[in-house]
Amino acid sequence: MPPLSLYIHIPWCVEKCPYCDFNSHAIKGGIPEAEYVDALLADLEADLPLAGGRTLTSIFIGGGTPSVFSTEAIARLLAGVKARIPFSGDIEITLEANPGTVEADKFKGFAEGGVNRLSIGVQSLQQDKLNLLGRIHGPGEALRAAALAADCGVRSFNLDLMHGLPNQRQQDALDDLRQAIACNPAHLSWYQLTIEPNTLFASKPPVLPDDDTLWAIQEAGHELLLAAGYRQYEISAYAKPGFEARHNLNYWRFGDYLGIGCGAHGKLTQADGRILRTVKVRHPKGYLDPSRSFMDQLLAVEADELPFEFFMNRLRLFEDVPKADFTHRTGLPLALAQQQLADAFAKGLMVENASHWQVTEQGHRYLNQLLASFL
């Protein structure tokens, strides 16, 4: 059975950002914090029969903005999870935080409650760009949050940083990256802004840098990160050695995860070989309605969909892919993917040896084209 993780979704945030397509809701009139923690634990209990008695290797509390919750609520939540499902001895427990919703005591309280990794949504360190992105913090608050994270007792922290922002020059993006590197995070998520459907930016698109500028930013930023001791291990993720995000690695290696909370998704391999997808009720009002189930959808992934799902995740990583993983994680014979693999080899997007596959530099650059081989 694949390793098992847990994703916990907290849907509230102070304001909805114009680029955000996540299931998040601006706070209006307070948060039903205690009621929501109770619901999360009941949701977990209902899912436990699908977990197959496995131990949790990681937990990720995302949103929304989980740091709007009190330290007491997060501690009660994690204690309740631990009472219901065993933790591995070196479990990674990440909490997402917005620099505008934290202070020193809060970070320390999260650490004391069991959080050992923080992920801070910086996005930019320039005030004009933060204004365009609808962020509630300024550059000073972001730098202060990073300093607090380094000194609050967690094992490590991540900074989320965007590039390709409206009106952003190459120098702007690299200045952001240099300041983030100077904070010495163990992990940096550095990704390009994309315009997603059903967002404010989709209805009123901003002017983004042209393709040549975007590529120049990517190339120069990559060199900066390598020179600072970071290693790119995923399309948009860099880490110091040994500090790769274990939770996200489990996703990308096609591991299993429980998903609890509003709109949370899960993937769970069963003893009979079926792979189930779960989706929880999306809106907080419906999720907290005691008369209905937390489960909105429960379905088995069809066998003909599994090769694409496996490679869509696995090929994001820069590590070699053991060929045996395909059968171990999908339950399917490798022969089912041979024609698609041959197409990727012919296009120069992948190479192979006796035991592993590797995405080429061209394959990483044209990842969407590579993944289309497996549709």
Side-chain angles (χ1 to χ4, degrees):
M1 297 285 276
L4 182 68
S5 297
L6 170 65
Y7 175 73
I8 302 172
H9 191 76
I10 294 178
W12 293 280
C13 51
V14 177
E15 291 182 13
K16 180 83 170 179
C17 296
Y19 60 85
C20 178
D21 69 336
F22 296 140
N23 182 26
S24 59
H25 304 265
I27 298 169
K28 296 178 182 178
I31 303 171
E33 192 178 76
E35 185 182 2
Y36 193 69
V37 170
D38 289 342
L40 288 170
L41 296 176
D43 189 359
L44 176 60
E45 284 194 14
D47 273 4
L48 287 180
L50 303 175
R54 283 174 284 176
T55 296
L56 286 181
T57 62
S58 67
I59 298 172
F60 194 99
I61 307 173
T65 306
S67 56
V68 300
F69 267 36
S70 68
T71 58
E72 294 80 8
I74 296 299
R76 184 166 77 89
L77 171 62
L78 291 175
V81 172
K82 191 173 185 179
R84 289 163 173 81
I85 186 168
F87 288 7
S88 66
D90 62 346
I91 189 170
E92 176 192 88
I93 302 177
T94 303
L95 181 135
E96 286 186 332
N98 185 313
T101 63
V102 296
E103 62 277 341
D105 288 345
K106 204 165 195 183
F107 270 1
K108 288 179 180 176
F110 289 145
E112 290 167 357
V115 172
N116 56 27
R117 183 175 181 272
L118 290 165
S119 182
I120 304 170
V122 170
Q123 315 312 0
S124 176
L125 288 162
Q126 296 172 31
Q127 189 62 60
D128 62 325
K129 303 300 186 293
L130 291 170
N131 292 342
L132 287 168
L133 293 172
R135 304 297 288 175
I136 65 170
H137 68 273
E141 288 174 296
L143 295 172
R144 180 171 175 270
L148 292 173
D151 194 40
C152 73
V154 296
R155 182 188 302 160
S156 67
F157 70 98
N158 166 65
L159 296 182
D160 261 6
L161 198 65
M162 286 183 174
H163 61 87
L165 305 179
N167 306 315
Q168 188 178 51
R169 302 168 301 166
Q170 180 178 340
Q171 191 57 48
D172 296 332
L174 297 182
D175 284 348
D176 270 356
L177 193 52
R178 289 189 185 96
Q179 290 186 76
I181 290 170
C183 295
N184 198 32
H187 189 285
L188 262 164
S189 298
W190 193 56
Y191 51 94
Q192 183 180 320
L193 171 66
T194 55
I195 306 302
E196 302 292 347
N198 304 314
T199 63
L200 184 59
F201 273 0
S203 60
K204 297 179 180 179
V207 177
L208 301 181
D210 59 43
D211 288 344
D212 289 341
T213 301
L214 292 172
W215 183 245
I217 289 171
Q218 181 66 45
E219 290 284 276
H222 178 74
E223 293 303 317
L224 270 180
L225 286 157
L226 293 185
Y230 293 89
R231 182 180 72 90
Q232 186 178 20
Y233 70 97
E234 189 266 343
I235 288 294
S236 58
Y238 293 76
K240 299 285 183 70
F243 288 96
E244 297 82 3
R246 278 184 260 161
H247 187 86
N248 289 343
L249 278 175
N250 191 39
Y251 284 161
W252 296 322
R253 289 171 177 163
F254 211 51
D256 281 0
Y257 49 94
L258 293 155
I260 62 173
C262 295
H265 289 233
K267 170 193 170 280
L268 296 156
T269 304
Q270 301 301 287
D272 61 7
R274 291 177 303 147
I275 295 178
L276 303 180
R277 292 285 188 185
T278 63
V279 183
K280 301 303 171 62
V281 172
R282 184 175 177 83
H283 197 277
K285 185 176 180 181
Y287 185 82
L288 291 170
D289 183 349
S291 69
R292 63 182 295 178
S293 168
F294 299 111
M295 190 76 74
D296 186 50
Q297 296 178 50
L298 174 63
L299 52 90
V301 182
E302 297 293 336
D304 61 358
E305 297 173 358
L306 281 172
F308 175 72
E309 289 213 12
F310 174 83
F311 286 109
M312 178 179 64
N313 287 277
R314 203 63 177 81
L315 299 185
R316 290 181 64 92
L317 294 173
F318 280 69
E319 65 187 17
D320 291 352
V321 182
K323 293 180 178 180
D325 278 7
F326 179 80
T327 298
H328 289 161
R329 295 296 166 92
T330 67
L332 301 175
L334 183 54
L336 288 181
Q338 289 293 10
Q339 184 57 52
Q340 296 100 316
L341 287 163
D343 182 51
F345 299 147
K347 292 176 180 175
L349 303 176
M350 289 178 67
V351 293
E352 67 173 339
N353 60 32
S355 60
H356 289 76
W357 300 300
Q358 176 64 55
V359 179
T360 63
E361 182 177 349
Q362 185 177 0
H364 285 300
R365 184 171 182 178
Y366 299 103
L367 184 61
N368 288 339
Q369 181 182 343
L370 171 56
L371 294 179
S373 302
F374 298 96
L375 285 173

